[in-house]
Amino acid sequence: MRGYVRFLLAGLILGIAIPLLMGAAKDENPAEVIYHGPFERDAYYMFSSSGQSGGVFVIGIPSGRLFMDLPVFEPRQAYGYAGIGTPEREMLEKTGGLWGDTHHPRLSHTGWKPDGKWLYINDKASTRVAKIDLRTFRTVLIKKAPNTQVWHGIALVPDRNGTTKYVCANGEFEAPIPPRPGLPGGYSEKLIPPIGAKVPDDWKSPVTCLDAETLDPVFQVISGYGNFDIMDNSPSGRWLLSNMYNTEKGANIDEMIKAPEDVTQFLDVWKAEEELKAGRFTLVNGVKVLDARQSPGLIYLLPTPRNPHGIHCQRLDTRVHGEKSLGKDTVCISGGKLVPRVYIYDVSGDRPKLVSTPWVGLGPLHVQYDGRGNFYVSLFVDSQIGAYNIEKAIKFPNDPDKYTVDKIDIHYNVGHLSTVMNYSTPKGDWLISQNKMTKGLPGFLPTGPLEPEVQELIDIRKITADGKGKMRLIYQFPTPPEPHESDFVEAEKLAPLVWTKYKKPYNEAIKFVGPGESRVVRSGPKNVDVYLTAVRSRYGLDEVRVKQGDTVTLYLSNIERLRDVTHGFALQEYGVHFAIDPGDTQKFTFVADKPGVYWFFCTWFCSALHMEMRAKLIVDPA
Ligand code: K7E
Ligand code: CUA
Ligand code: CA
């Protein structure tokens, strides 16, 4: 009898539980969402900075698959990027060095949407910005600017039609700039008490805006304050926001955390353009420098949480809010590392206003949006991500129960968080948590005292416009060190624009060597030019003969017509390696100072006869 009751009960429970589970499985099974079987393509490209790896990770979302570890500020021999004697190497060396610390990638826009043309990213360490051609996924330009030290935050400012016009960058560290006679204040909304002014007054950290095409500086702006961290622009392109954590002008950490509040600078880009036109600038090291102390209304300073980090502006999802919302300014939100609040600014008018300071949790760093009216904050100390409703957080700033939508644990210590296409037309589907610590995460294979970085995919599709619903952690994937921020474009938009082979002329400065054009030309008493083709699976010459002491310039063209057939070139004893993609030509220069016979060989497995793809460099003794 007892058995029978148990059987009945079990049946009852299963009868309820099975349909429930099946119902849940129907739209909630994470495997169905993120698993991409053979031949299945991701919906988005995610371009994530790779931090101290010096480049960009190209990752498919939602699968989390790593497609490319794209080199920018560091030579990468697998891609033949910036090898010894190449023009890329020279560009890196001229602008600061052979390593970088990348932070904030941004995609170029046309009409406020990613146009699939360029990707920009900064190197904090050497105050540089790079431009990557998305037809080829190659770094094509790297530049720096004078009068500034350490670019941390960057933003792409659009013109009035939403097309990328400037790449602007924050100088984080103060550096001396020739002092100028300044007018006293008058531009500050709230006086920040000067505490321990240890950094000299003529040390500035300007905001620098570069021409998006050439990366040459168009203007810089200085004020009575300095030290900028993270930057964003309002969608219209009018406001450029910079967070400042050292309002105290302290020279060490104790000084830098003294003031109860710091400052967000709102730079009116349209006003800056008027000032430039009116000639109200000074040339400093060839750069037009605007001084906010002499141009009232050029900047506004508003209080920000003590030692702020992230400042991010809302873009609206056009599917929810219509095409006109694309360039519409609404709110920007700043997080502060040392107080559990974020500050919400209304930037829709002619003057930015602080409208709310809601409580969010411990260690708020960065803020993202879903385009439906909610914002998401990374809480570094709490190891959580919080979701909040903007309207309610403005209406009921002292009632977290009213505006908090949901909180979710992450693993661990989230830095940046990225909602898909947050910097253009937010999709409101996925949120990627880019965490700083893995801390022996169960399920991750240990890799020594240093563990891989973990990124977590969070489903935010259930969060509604009126601030209801739950986030859901559905996937964890590792990446090498150390992703900071990400930008996104739809795969269906970018994939068709990506070249399958190089088109001519891609680099006018380097002449393509066509089939049958391989030759050795003595161009001077001590100069030899070598023109060489590569095709499966031989070089255009079996032997290259030079004299000891010759400066050899090699032009190597890959004359393949098939996509993805890349060849390599590794030269024994000379430390030379590069890779050339189909249709591409590379150039490098070296001095043949060691007499002897040296095999050079292909390093990319290009055909069944790849091993046979080798030839001789003969250096005759002088
Ligand atoms: Cu890593 Cu954007 Cu440089 Cu914050 S920054 S975490
Ligand atoms: Cu060409 Cu291997
Ligand atoms: Ca401070």
Side-chain angles (χ1 to χ4, degrees), residues 245-248 256-257 259 262 307:
Y245 61 78
N246 187 18
T247 323
E248 302 89 341
M256 291 179 199
I257 58 173
D262 281 293
N307 285 54

Side-chain angles (χ1 to χ4, degrees), residues 103-104 152 230 309 365-366 415-416 436 484-485:
H103 282 246
H104 301 106
H152 191 187
I230 304 301
H309 187 57
L365 293 183
H366 292 284
H416 269 280
K436 297 297 185 200
H484 290 251
E485 173 161 62

Side-chain angles (χ1 to χ4, degrees), residues 331-573:
V331 298
C332 304
I333 301 179
S334 166
K337 292 165 288 197
L338 294 179
V339 281
R341 292 178 184 279
V342 293
Y343 284 18
I344 306 182
Y345 309 102
D346 179 343
V347 291
S348 62
D350 277 343
R351 223 182 148 123
K353 288 192 291 259
L354 174 65
V355 291
S356 183
T357 62
W359 188 93
V360 289
L362 293 180
L365 293 183
H366 292 284
V367 179
Q368 295 278 276
Y369 304 86
D370 59 15
R372 292 190 291 266
N374 304 297
F375 67 97
Y376 301 77
V377 182
S378 56
L379 302 167
F380 181 87
V381 178
D382 279 343
S383 276
Q384 283 192 317
I385 284 174
Y388 312 89
N389 185 265
I390 299 173
E391 217 183 290
K392 293 178 192 170
I394 294 173
K395 254 197 200 150
F396 316 106
N398 298 314
D399 198 346
D401 285 348
K402 286 217 168 95
Y403 60 78
T404 304
V405 181
D406 191 22
K407 278 193 175 178
I408 191 166
D409 291 337
I410 59 92
H411 316 82
Y412 298 93
N413 303 98
V414 49
H416 269 280
L417 73 177
S418 297
T419 51
V420 168
M421 300 194 56
N422 178 62
Y423 290 108
S424 48
T425 52
K427 298 292 178 183
D429 47 6
W430 312 114
L431 187 158
I432 292 94
S433 178
Q434 308 199 284
N435 308 332
K436 297 297 185 200
M437 312 277 173
T438 307
K439 294 181 178 172
L441 190 68
F444 267 41
L445 301 175
T447 54
L450 177 66
E451 297 181 324
E453 309 307 317
V454 56
Q455 308 205 40
E456 298 188 302
L457 186 79
I458 294 162
D459 184 352
I460 56 168
R461 292 173 301 171
K462 295 266 160 68
I463 309 288
T464 60
D466 59 344
K468 305 223 164 65
K470 291 249 156 238
M471 292 182 275
R472 188 171 183 220
L473 171 62
I474 62 171
Y475 192 52
Q476 299 169 316
F477 58 94
T479 35
E482 180 192 77
H484 290 251
E485 173 161 62
S486 306
D487 201 358
F488 302 80
V489 57
E490 297 103 328
E492 60 180 30
K493 172 107 187 224
L494 177 55
L497 302 176
V498 178
W499 283 1
T500 56
K501 73 186 271 300
Y502 274 80
K503 292 176 191 168
K504 289 162 281 183
Y506 180 71
N507 184 348
E508 314 243 2
I510 305 178
K511 205 188 157 308
F512 184 75
V513 187
E517 292 175 7
S518 296
R519 64 205 184 274
V520 179
V521 179
R522 179 155 289 281
S523 52
K526 289 224 152 258
N527 291 82
V528 174
D529 295 336
V530 179
Y531 300 89
L532 202 61
T533 57
V535 69
R536 280 161 293 171
S537 271
R538 69 187 312 152
Y539 296 107
L541 300 169
D542 290 337
E543 196 177 288
V544 171
R545 197 157 198 148
V546 300
K547 270 209 236 63
Q548 185 183 6
D550 280 341
T551 296
V552 181
T553 306
L554 178 75
Y555 299 86
L556 184 62
S557 289
N558 181 335
I559 59 173
E560 297 286 349
R561 296 207 235 160
L562 201 62
R563 69 192 302 168
D564 200 29
V565 184
T566 290
H567 294 288
F569 180 100
L571 176 58
Q572 298 284 295
E573 299 294 333

Side-chain angles (χ1 to χ4, degrees), residues 48-58 68-76 79 81-82 88 91-92 95 97-105 119-126 128-132 137-142 453 480-485:
S48 168
S49 62
S50 68
Q52 60 286 59
S53 291
V56 172
F57 296 135
V58 183
M68 190 182 234
D69 175 5
L70 197 161
V72 183
F73 297 107
E74 243 180 60
R76 193 78 45 83
Y79 296 124
Y81 176 70
E88 295 157 336
M91 184 166 70
L92 279 182
T95 52
L98 298 178
W99 64 279
D101 182 13
T102 57
H103 282 246
H104 301 106
L119 175 71
Y120 299 88
I121 192 158
N122 68 306
D123 167 24
K124 172 171 166 168
S126 289
R128 298 184 278 190
V129 166
K131 188 175 167 184
I132 294 144
F137 282 54
R138 290 282 165 160
T139 305
V140 290
L141 192 61
I142 295 176
E453 309 307 317
E482 180 192 77
H484 290 251
E485 173 161 62

Side-chain angles (χ1 to χ4, degrees), residues 567 602 604-606 610 613:
H567 294 288
C602 177
W604 280 75
F605 207 107
C606 49
H610 152 75
M613 187 164 174

